[in-house]
Amino acid sequence: MTGIDGSPSAIERARRNAERAGVTVDFQVADATRLDGFEGRFDTVVDSAF
């Protein structure tokens, strides 16, 4: 699982939430409209209020 957001504070909050839930997620601060450096990495993309 990879989570991407442009906001460092949103990513930090997501990391804390994932840790509390006991799940492993690769959170990255990045521009989700470009995904530079993520080419070929995803089989499925789910957007929430993008």
Side-chain angles (χ1 to χ4, degrees), residues 6-50:
S7 168
S9 61
I11 291 294
E12 185 54 41
R13 182 174 182 182
R15 284 183 178 134
R16 288 192 308 267
N17 289 342
E19 186 177 324
R20 280 196 297 270
V23 296
T24 302
V25 180
D26 175 22
F27 289 108
Q28 299 288 326
V29 176
D31 181 351
T33 64
R34 301 202 51 157
L35 297 178
D36 294 334
F38 293 96
E39 294 87 354
R41 184 169 174 174
F42 304 111
D43 293 325
T44 303
V45 174
V46 178
D47 167 38
S48 178
F50 183 54

